[in-house]
Amino acid sequence: TWGRALYEFVHAMRISTSSNVKVVQLMGALGKEGRYFDGHGLALLLASKLGGSHYVPFIPLVVESEDIRESLANQPNILEFEEIKKDLDLAVIGIGSMELDFSGVCQAGYLSVDELNDLREMGAVGELMGYFFDINGEMLDVAFHDRLFSTYIGDLRNTPCQVVAIAGGKIKTEGVLGELRGNYVDVLVTDSAVADAVLKMENRLLV
C-alpha cells in the first residue's frame, strides 16, 4: 500500500537480485505528491530491490460517486486488477490514522476535515486500505467505501494470502486494537509502546 510505515519498510529492505517476485500495488493512486503517498514509486522500488517485476493498476483510489465507480468497473485495467488480487501470496499493509496530520486519505484531499470528524463520531478508529473500521474491528457502513478502488481486507480472508500489518506510534493504538479484534491480519509489526498501550486498552475495555 502506501504511508509512512510502508515507506520506511521499503527503504529499509535489503537489496536482492535473485528473487522471482511480482510486487502488486493493492490500492488505487492517491494522486498526491509526497514520498509517503507514492504507492506507485514504492511498488517499483520494492520490486527493484527484490529483483522482480511490479504491477500498478493506474486507477485513482477514490472517484466522485458510486455511479462513476460502477461505470469504470468493467474497464480492462480494472478487471485485470480484480483478477490479480485473487492470487496474492503476501500482503504488506499499513494502518491508517484518524489524526488529521497522519491521515493519508485526508491529506490527499479525498476527505475533508469535517468528513474525517464525522467518521470519528461514527466510531472510526482507523482505516485499512481506505476502509474505515471501529474499535471492535467492524467496518463502518459509509458511502465513502462505495467510491473506492482498493482491496477490501475482508476479501483476503477467503484466499491463501498472508497479511502483514505495519504500524508504529501511540496514535495508532486504537487502530491496532480494532484491526486485531477484527482478525484482519496474520502478523502485526509494531513497537513496544504501541503493544503495551494496546494491551492496557484491551484490559480496560473488558473490565
Side-chain angles (χ1 to χ4, degrees):
T1 58
W2 38 256
R4 290 170 172 81
L6 272 295
Y7 174 89
E8 298 298 342
F9 159 71
V10 171
H11 281 263
M13 178 70 71
R14 293 184 179 181
I15 295 176
S16 169
T17 58
S18 59
S19 299
N20 182 22
V21 65
K22 185 173 185 177
V23 178
V24 177
Q25 186 179 344
L26 294 173
M27 307 171 65
L30 274 178
K32 171 77 173 180
E33 292 185 2
R35 57 183 181 176
Y36 301 129
F37 305 126
D38 183 11
H40 290 118
L42 289 181
L44 173 60
L45 177 59
L46 181 57
S48 66
K49 284 193 168 190
L50 295 176
S53 60
H54 77 289
Y55 171 86
V56 293
F58 292 108
I59 54 178
L61 174 63
V62 186
V63 292
E64 292 182 357
S65 69
E66 183 180 0
D67 289 341
I68 292 176
R69 189 192 187 285
E70 290 181 357
S71 69
L72 294 173
N74 291 320
Q75 294 294 316
N77 62 320
I78 294 175
L79 292 174
E80 180 184 38
F81 178 51
E82 295 298 327
E83 286 301 311
I84 287 176
K85 291 190 297 181
K86 297 176 182 178
D87 193 33
L88 302 173
D89 298 306
L90 178 70
V92 185
I93 66 174
I95 301 175
S97 172
M98 298 304 297
E99 296 294 326
L100 176 60
D101 292 338
F102 295 92
S103 169
V105 288
C106 193
Q107 291 292 316
Y110 287 123
L111 282 177
S112 67
V113 176
D114 288 341
E115 288 172 323
L116 188 68
N117 289 333
D118 288 343
L119 286 166
R120 285 178 182 156
E121 291 180 5
M122 294 175 66
V125 296
E127 55 94 358
L128 295 170
M129 294 184 285
Y131 291 91
F132 291 88
F133 58 92
D134 65 19
I135 195 66
N136 294 312
E138 297 291 333
M139 288 292 170
L140 300 184
D141 183 12
V142 293
F144 180 77
H145 295 167
D146 298 328
R147 299 189 287 121
L148 285 173
F149 280 112
S150 186
T151 304
Y152 177 55
I153 190 73
D155 291 343
L156 297 180
R157 290 173 170 168
N158 301 320
T159 73
C161 180
Q162 297 288 296
V163 181
V164 178
I166 304 175
K170 293 185 74 172
I171 62 168
K172 297 291 182 74
T173 298
E174 289 186 330
V176 169
L177 178 56
E179 66 86 10
L180 289 174
R181 285 179 162 185
N183 195 31
Y184 293 113
V185 304
D186 300 289
V187 177
L188 170 67
V189 180
T190 190
D191 56 68
S192 57
V194 172
D196 183 60
V198 166
L199 290 173
K200 289 179 178 177
M201 180 175 288
E202 172 74 353
N203 289 332
R204 188 166 63 250
L205 294 175
L206 290 175
V207 172

Coordinates of all heavy atoms in Angstrom, one line a residue, residues 5-38:
A5 N 4.7 4.1 7.4 CA 5.3 2.8 7.8 C 5.8 2.0 6.6 O 6.9 1.4 6.6 CB 4.3 2.0 8.6
L6 N 5.0 2.0 5.5 CA 5.4 1.3 4.3 C 6.5 1.9 3.6 O 7.4 1.2 3.0 CB 4.2 1.2 3.4 CG 3.2 0.0 3.6 CD1 3.9 -1.3 3.3 CD2 2.6 0.0 5.0
Y7 N 6.6 3.2 3.6 CA 7.8 3.9 3.1 C 9.0 3.5 3.8 O 10.0 3.1 3.1 CB 7.6 5.4 3.2 CG 8.8 6.3 2.8 CD1 8.9 6.7 1.5 CD2 9.7 6.6 3.7 CE1 10.0 7.4 1.1 CE2 10.8 7.4 3.4 CZ 11.0 7.8 2.0 OH 12.1 8.6 1.7
E8 N 9.0 3.5 5.1 CA 10.2 3.1 5.9 C 10.5 1.6 5.6 O 11.7 1.2 5.6 CB 10.0 3.4 7.4 CG 9.8 4.8 7.7 CD 10.9 5.7 7.4 OE1 12.1 5.2 7.2 OE2 10.7 7.0 7.3
F9 N 9.5 0.8 5.6 CA 9.7 -0.6 5.3 C 10.4 -0.9 4.0 O 11.4 -1.6 3.9 CB 8.4 -1.4 5.3 CG 8.4 -2.7 4.6 CD1 9.1 -3.8 5.1 CD2 7.7 -2.9 3.4 CE1 9.0 -5.0 4.5 CE2 7.7 -4.1 2.8 CZ 8.4 -5.2 3.3
V10 N 9.9 -0.3 2.9 CA 10.5 -0.5 1.6 C 12.0 0.1 1.6 O 12.9 -0.6 1.0 CB 9.7 0.2 0.5 CG1 10.4 0.2 -0.8 CG2 8.3 -0.5 0.4
H11 N 12.2 1.2 2.1 CA 13.5 1.8 2.1 C 14.5 1.1 3.0 O 15.7 1.1 2.8 CB 13.5 3.3 2.4 CG 13.0 4.2 1.3 ND1 13.9 4.8 0.5 CD2 11.8 4.4 0.8 CE1 13.2 5.5 -0.5 NE2 11.9 5.2 -0.2
A12 N 14.0 0.3 4.0 CA 14.9 -0.5 4.8 C 15.2 -1.9 4.2 O 16.1 -2.5 4.7 CB 14.3 -0.6 6.2
M13 N 14.4 -2.3 3.3 CA 14.6 -3.6 2.7 C 16.0 -3.8 2.0 O 16.4 -2.9 1.3 CB 13.5 -3.8 1.6 CG 13.6 -5.2 0.9 SD 13.2 -6.6 1.9 CE 11.4 -6.4 2.1
R14 N 16.6 -4.9 2.3 CA 17.9 -5.1 1.7 C 17.7 -5.5 0.3 O 16.8 -6.2 -0.1 CB 18.6 -6.2 2.5 CG 19.0 -5.8 3.9 CD 19.8 -6.9 4.6 NE 20.2 -6.5 5.9 CZ 20.9 -7.3 6.8 NH1 21.3 -8.5 6.4 NH2 21.2 -6.9 8.0
I15 N 18.7 -5.2 -0.5 CA 18.7 -5.5 -2.0 C 19.0 -6.9 -2.3 O 19.9 -7.5 -1.7 CB 19.6 -4.5 -2.7 CG1 19.2 -3.1 -2.6 CG2 19.7 -4.9 -4.2 CD1 20.2 -2.1 -3.2
S16 N 18.2 -7.5 -3.1 CA 18.4 -8.9 -3.6 C 18.1 -8.9 -5.1 O 17.1 -8.3 -5.6 CB 17.5 -9.9 -2.9 OG 17.5 -11.1 -3.6
T17 N 18.9 -9.5 -5.9 CA 18.7 -9.5 -7.3 C 18.3 -10.9 -7.8 O 18.4 -11.2 -9.0 CB 20.0 -9.1 -8.1 OG1 21.1 -10.0 -7.7 CG2 20.4 -7.7 -7.7
S18 N 17.9 -11.8 -6.9 CA 17.7 -13.2 -7.3 C 16.2 -13.6 -7.1 O 15.9 -14.8 -7.3 CB 18.6 -14.1 -6.6 OG 18.5 -14.0 -5.2
S19 N 15.4 -12.8 -6.6 CA 14.0 -13.1 -6.3 C 13.1 -13.1 -7.5 O 13.1 -12.1 -8.2 CB 13.4 -12.2 -5.2 OG 14.2 -12.3 -4.0
N20 N 12.4 -14.1 -7.7 CA 11.4 -14.1 -8.8 C 10.0 -13.8 -8.2 O 9.2 -14.6 -7.9 CB 11.3 -15.5 -9.5 CG 10.3 -15.5 -10.6 OD1 10.0 -14.5 -11.2 ND2 9.8 -16.7 -10.9
V21 N 9.8 -12.5 -7.9 CA 8.6 -12.0 -7.2 C 8.0 -10.9 -8.0 O 8.6 -10.1 -8.8 CB 9.0 -11.5 -5.8 CG1 9.9 -10.3 -5.9 CG2 7.8 -11.2 -5.0
K22 N 6.7 -10.8 -7.9 CA 5.9 -9.7 -8.5 C 5.3 -8.9 -7.4 O 4.5 -9.4 -6.6 CB 4.8 -10.3 -9.5 CG 4.1 -9.2 -10.3 CD 3.1 -9.8 -11.3 CE 2.5 -8.8 -12.2 NZ 1.6 -9.4 -13.2
V23 N 5.6 -7.6 -7.4 CA 5.0 -6.7 -6.4 C 3.8 -6.0 -7.0 O 3.9 -5.4 -8.1 CB 6.1 -5.6 -6.0 CG1 5.5 -4.7 -5.0 CG2 7.3 -6.3 -5.4
V24 N 2.7 -6.1 -6.3 CA 1.4 -5.6 -6.8 C 1.0 -4.5 -5.8 O 0.9 -4.7 -4.6 CB 0.4 -6.7 -6.8 CG1 -1.0 -6.1 -7.2 CG2 0.8 -7.8 -7.8
Q25 N 0.6 -3.3 -6.4 CA 0.1 -2.2 -5.5 C -1.4 -2.6 -5.3 O -2.2 -2.8 -6.2 CB 0.2 -0.9 -6.2 CG -0.3 0.2 -5.3 CD -0.2 1.6 -6.0 OE1 0.5 1.7 -7.0 NE2 -0.9 2.6 -5.4
L26 N -1.8 -2.6 -4.0 CA -3.1 -3.1 -3.6 C -4.2 -2.0 -3.7 O -5.4 -2.3 -3.5 CB -3.1 -3.6 -2.2 CG -2.2 -4.9 -2.0 CD1 -2.1 -5.2 -0.5 CD2 -2.8 -6.0 -2.7
M27 N -3.9 -0.8 -4.0 CA -4.8 0.3 -3.9 C -4.6 1.2 -5.1 O -3.6 1.3 -5.7 CB -4.6 1.2 -2.7 CG -4.6 0.4 -1.4 SD -4.1 1.4 0.0 CE -5.4 2.6 0.1
G28 N -5.7 1.9 -5.5 CA -5.6 3.0 -6.5 C -4.7 4.1 -6.0 O -4.3 4.2 -4.8
A29 N -4.3 5.0 -6.9 CA -3.3 6.0 -6.5 C -4.0 7.2 -5.8 O -5.1 7.5 -6.0 CB -2.7 6.6 -7.8
L30 N -3.2 7.7 -4.8 CA -3.7 8.9 -4.1 C -3.7 10.2 -4.9 O -4.5 11.1 -4.7 CB -2.9 9.1 -2.8 CG -3.3 8.3 -1.6 CD1 -2.3 8.6 -0.5 CD2 -4.7 8.7 -1.2
G31 N -2.8 10.2 -5.9 CA -2.7 11.4 -6.7 C -2.2 12.6 -5.9 O -2.5 13.8 -6.2
K32 N -1.4 12.4 -4.9 CA -0.8 13.4 -4.1 C 0.7 13.3 -4.1 O 1.2 12.3 -3.9 CB -1.4 13.2 -2.6 CG -0.7 14.1 -1.6 CD -1.3 15.5 -1.6 CE -0.8 16.4 -0.4 NZ -1.3 17.7 -0.5
E33 N 1.3 14.5 -4.2 CA 2.8 14.5 -4.2 C 3.2 14.3 -2.7 O 2.6 14.6 -1.8 CB 3.3 15.8 -4.7 CG 3.1 16.0 -6.2 CD 3.8 17.3 -6.7 OE1 4.4 18.0 -5.9 OE2 3.6 17.6 -7.9
G34 N 4.4 13.6 -2.6 CA 4.9 13.4 -1.3 C 5.4 11.9 -1.2 O 4.7 11.0 -1.7
R35 N 6.5 11.7 -0.5 CA 7.1 10.4 -0.5 C 6.2 9.4 0.2 O 6.2 8.2 -0.2 CB 8.5 10.5 0.2 CG 8.4 11.0 1.6 CD 9.8 11.1 2.2 NE 9.8 11.6 3.6 CZ 10.9 11.7 4.4 NH1 12.0 11.3 3.9 NH2 10.8 12.1 5.6
Y36 N 5.4 9.8 1.2 CA 4.6 8.8 1.9 C 3.4 8.3 1.1 O 2.8 7.3 1.4 CB 4.2 9.4 3.2 CG 5.3 9.8 4.1 CD1 5.3 11.0 4.7 CD2 6.3 8.9 4.4 CE1 6.4 11.4 5.6 CE2 7.4 9.2 5.3 CZ 7.4 10.5 5.8 OH 8.4 10.9 6.7
F37 N 3.0 9.1 0.1 CA 1.8 8.8 -0.6 C 2.0 8.2 -2.0 O 1.0 7.9 -2.7 CB 0.9 10.1 -0.8 CG 0.7 10.8 0.5 CD1 1.0 12.1 0.7 CD2 0.1 10.1 1.6 CE1 0.7 12.8 1.8 CE2 -0.2 10.8 2.7 CZ 0.1 12.1 2.9
D38 N 3.2 7.9 -2.3 CA 3.5 7.5 -3.7 C 3.6 5.9 -3.7 O 4.7 5.3 -3.6 CB 4.9 8.0 -4.1 CG 5.2 7.6 -5.6 OD1 4.4 7.0 -6.2 OD2 6.4 7.8 -6.0

